[in-house]
Amino acid sequence: MDDDGIVVELGARWRPGDATLMLNAIRAAAAGEVPLTLLHRGAGGRSLLLAASAEWPRLKCREVVRDAHAAFRPRLPRWAHHRLLPSGRPMRPTGIAISGGLGGLGLAVAARLGAAGHRLWLLDRRPVSGLAVADQHRLAAVARATRVVVHQADVTKAVPDSPFPVTALVHAAGDLELHPLRDIGAGRLERLAPAKAAGLRTLVRALAPGGLRSVLVFGSTESRRPHPLFGGYALANELVRLEAARLRRKHRGVRLVTAEWSLWSDVGMASPSAGAAAAAGFATVPPDWGAQAAELLLDAGNSVPGELVLGGPQPTADRPLAAIAGVAGTSVARDGQSVDRLVALCRPVRGGRHRGAGGRGSVVRAVVDGRAVATWTSPVHDWADRRPG
């Protein structure tokens, strides 16, 4: 502790013990009602500060990133308008690995890719016999459409030999455990936080020498602005985003995209909550749309940023994928007047710097469609606001 409260200093990477250090500092700062500062050179941890602020509203936190690679330095928001449409030439059938391949999201993506003729290698910690009957039927349907090989494996530790050449990877593995930071054990957070990043690192290290060319990492919008109880999950997804940035620099020949999704409806670990979230105005991801988006993002023929926050409507010819980089979440404005009014708030003026919509303590929502960037704001802790207009 110093005159400015409690200061935690981490390094350039997340290390064993960092979760315990952060958790103890957060609890001490909250109990003593003193500010908390996180200093690091690329290790991350911002998402945990935001989760703590959601749980202890009077807690004042800040993050300082210094002497770090540009990918980890704080940047002014920049709006990017992306049209993610089929390139006109679909991906040629190839070998694709899917970690978390027996989960709801993994099976949804597998069904889409299998129908396109790709050979699929599904990696998961659970055995096929442990799947629900409905998921076993989904897996059987995929296997009828293409060659499917399933391996039970913990990819955070080791990757089995691939059954065929693999040129693309979808990293959809992860755990969703909801705990308040005031109650979660340090040991549990130590286990949860680095697992997703460790799995990605192990997979890319194993597959890159064999011709890996494209990687799609499944992240979460929770890493940008976590809800209460989502602190550990948010941190895991922040750390996998940072790991992806490191791997992107190390493996120049591998196209690596991080897609940070809002809740998927009907499938996945958070599906029980998705219906209520959608009714409240939160942008959920329909499985068909998510699988289509994943296929497009995996296609090396499409040029997209390295990081995207995703959510919104089913793409059509006149309204392609909703995607914008560097915002806290995404949603939809169906009213044309609302779109026009809100676009004026956030589009950069010619020759000037970007002027963010909303005031301090607001979350910017955005959606990119075929003609505009639509944004509006809501209080930091309120993701269930009404649509504008």
Side-chain angles (χ1 to χ4, degrees):
M1 181 181 294
D2 65 9
D3 294 338
D4 295 323
I6 296 176
V7 178
V8 176
E9 185 166 5
L10 305 181
R13 299 181 67 96
W14 192 266
R15 302 292 184 185
D18 286 353
T20 301
L21 186 64
M22 285 283 294
L23 196 58
N24 290 340
I26 288 169
R27 289 170 176 168
E33 296 187 350
V34 295
L36 174 61
T37 300
L38 169 63
L39 301 175
H40 68 88
R41 294 178 291 109
R46 174 181 173 83
S47 59
L48 205 62
L49 297 184
L50 294 172
S53 297
E55 192 168 328
W56 288 281
R58 297 180 64 179
L59 179 62
K60 296 181 179 179
C61 301
R62 67 170 180 153
E63 176 197 37
V64 178
V65 186
R66 61 188 186 187
D67 302 326
H69 185 275
F72 304 110
R73 292 176 188 157
R75 294 179 296 235
L76 293 175
R78 295 181 180 177
W79 295 109
H81 191 178
H82 305 293
R83 291 175 59 89
L84 185 57
L85 294 171
S87 61
R89 292 182 299 175
M91 290 176 61
R92 292 182 179 180
T94 187
I96 299 177
I98 304 178
S99 65
L102 300 184
L105 275 61
L107 286 173
V109 174
R112 176 89 188 189
L113 296 175
H118 302 288
R119 293 168 293 171
L120 301 177
W121 183 28
L122 307 184
L123 298 153
D124 206 292
R125 288 180 302 183
R126 80 200 88 181
V128 173
S129 60
L131 294 179
V133 173
D135 287 338
Q136 292 192 31
H137 289 166
R138 292 188 185 100
L139 177 60
V142 177
R144 287 193 293 270
T146 189
R147 183 184 176 189
V148 176
V149 177
V150 180
H151 273 148
Q152 185 179 359
D154 182 352
V155 297
T156 65
K157 298 177 180 178
V159 179
D161 292 337
S162 58
F164 41 72
V166 171
T167 63
L169 165 68
V170 179
H171 183 43
D175 291 314
L176 176 61
E177 295 187 17
L178 305 184
H179 305 279
L181 294 179
R182 65 177 73 245
D183 296 334
I184 189 173
R188 184 174 293 274
L189 188 60
E190 288 281 357
R191 178 182 63 81
L192 286 175
K196 199 164 187 176
L200 176 64
R201 185 168 55 249
T202 304
L203 283 160
V204 172
R205 183 185 300 148
L207 298 176
L212 183 67
R213 291 294 176 263
S214 181
V215 179
L216 174 60
V217 181
F218 273 41
S220 171
T221 57
E222 291 293 323
S223 75
R224 306 279 180 172
R225 178 63 66 181
H227 291 75
L229 306 183
F230 279 80
Y233 180 73
L235 179 59
N237 282 283
E238 178 190 5
L239 296 184
V240 78
R241 170 169 25 97
L242 297 178
E243 185 63 32
R246 295 185 187 97
L247 293 170
R248 196 176 294 119
R249 297 196 305 273
K250 182 177 180 180
H251 298 275
R252 299 290 184 178
V254 179
R255 177 182 180 274
L256 204 151
V257 176
T258 302
E260 300 198 284
W261 307 95
S262 56
L263 295 175
W264 283 50
S265 60
D266 303 323
V267 300
M269 296 176 290
S271 59
S273 305
F282 194 92
T284 56
V285 177
D288 289 346
W289 173 74
Q292 177 186 1
E295 183 182 28
L296 294 176
L297 291 170
L298 195 63
D299 186 352
N302 285 318
S303 177
V304 294
E307 297 175 4
L308 291 168
V309 181
L310 301 171
Q314 173 74 24
T316 62
D318 59 348
R319 182 188 284 274
L321 176 68
I324 193 165
V327 298
T330 59
S331 196
V332 182
R334 303 183 186 280
D335 177 349
Q337 289 184 340
S338 297
V339 170
D340 294 338
R341 183 173 69 252
L342 293 163
V343 166
L345 292 174
C346 67
R347 280 264 174 115
V349 297
R350 181 172 297 178
R353 303 178 76 177
H354 164 72
R355 179 167 64 90
R360 186 175 181 179
S362 293
V363 174
V364 176
R365 313 289 188 83
V367 63
V368 177
D369 62 23
R371 68 181 185 89
V373 181
T375 72
W376 63 98
T377 60
S378 67
V380 167
H381 302 297
D382 176 21
W383 280 63
D385 60 336
R386 297 181 180 178
R387 289 188 173 90

